């Protein structure tokens, strides 16, 4: 059982950790999607300054991250990543619970996220945590998978 878990807001000095975690978590999807997932292409320096970017560490070592964006009525989970070496240990669950608390703290009554229709595992995980599909849209790149939007009312 994991004991020493901390979640803290990322700073610009954490950008390399955020990028490395994102790359490690998403690179396995490149063959499935026939392209790099959108979170792998994001400018995280800008996100750290403008958004809620949080690092989860186990025994002081960053193992997971979540990027949140406060919207008009909901908290958007832009990206949630857990390093492959730490998947299956409940760290993603902790980050989703943390995101829910952040949403409440800023007066939002729903959580939103999107994923690919080809990421069946992610769709199942989010459904198990109370998210339901609210729409689909074609991605803006030819031959790309469909984006699946999901929402969880709080």
């Amino acid at each position: 059982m994991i004991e020493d878990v901390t979640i803290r807001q990322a700073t610009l000095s954490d950008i390399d950790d955020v990028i490395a975690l994102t790359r490690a978590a998403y690179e396995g999807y490149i063959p499935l999607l026939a392209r790099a997932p959108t979170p792998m292409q994001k400018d995280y320096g800008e996100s750290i300054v403008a958004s809620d970017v949080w690092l989860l560490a186990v025994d002081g070592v960053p193992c997971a991250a979540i990027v949140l964006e406060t919207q008009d009525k909901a908290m958007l989970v832009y990206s949630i990543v857990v390093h492959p070496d730490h998947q299956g240990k409940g760290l993603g669950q902790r980050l989703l619970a943390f995101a829910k608390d952040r949403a409440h703290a800023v007066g939002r009554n729903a959580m939103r996220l999107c994923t690919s229709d080809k990421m069946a595992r992610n769709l199942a995980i989010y459904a198990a945590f109370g998210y339901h599909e609210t729409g689909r849209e074609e991605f803006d790149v030819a031959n790309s998978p469909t984006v699946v939007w999901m929402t969880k009312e709080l």
Side-chain angles (χ1 to χ4, degrees):
M1 184 170 148
I2 297 175
E3 297 288 330
D4 186 19
V5 176
T6 58
I7 299 173
R8 66 171 178 79
Q9 192 163 23
T11 67
L12 286 175
S13 65
D14 297 310
I15 193 166
D16 290 340
D17 288 330
V18 173
I19 291 169
L21 287 167
T22 301
R23 185 171 295 130
Y26 281 110
E27 69 186 353
Y29 290 113
I30 294 173
L32 178 68
L33 303 176
R35 60 183 288 281
T38 302
M40 290 181 77
Q41 302 168 37
K42 187 162 182 69
D43 178 350
Y44 285 98
E46 185 178 300
S47 293
I48 288 170
V49 171
S51 301
D52 273 340
V53 180
W54 300 84
L55 283 173
L56 181 149
V58 175
D59 297 327
V61 178
C63 299
I66 191 166
V67 180
L68 304 172
E69 295 177 6
T70 304
Q71 299 181 327
D72 287 342
K73 296 180 182 177
M75 178 68 74
L76 174 71
V77 177
Y78 175 81
S79 175
I80 181 169
V81 295
V82 178
H83 191 282
D85 292 345
H86 296 277
Q87 291 176 0
K89 299 177 182 178
L91 301 180
Q93 294 174 36
R94 287 183 190 220
L95 284 175
L96 285 174
F98 175 81
K100 179 181 171 184
D101 292 343
R102 291 284 304 152
H104 281 300
V106 296
R108 299 306 180 267
N109 59 7
M111 301 289 303
R112 295 184 69 226
L113 56 80
C114 69
T115 190
S116 166
D117 65 335
K118 292 190 176 193
M119 295 179 172
R121 180 174 175 257
N122 291 357
L123 289 167
I125 288 170
Y126 297 135
F129 284 97
Y131 287 80
H132 63 277
E133 185 176 327
T134 55
R136 290 181 179 235
E137 63 186 68
E138 297 302 315
F139 198 77
D140 59 356
V141 179
N143 300 318
S144 287
T146 300
V147 174
V148 179
W149 285 97
M150 302 181 83
T151 300
K152 177 179 182 172
E153 302 299 325
L154 303 179

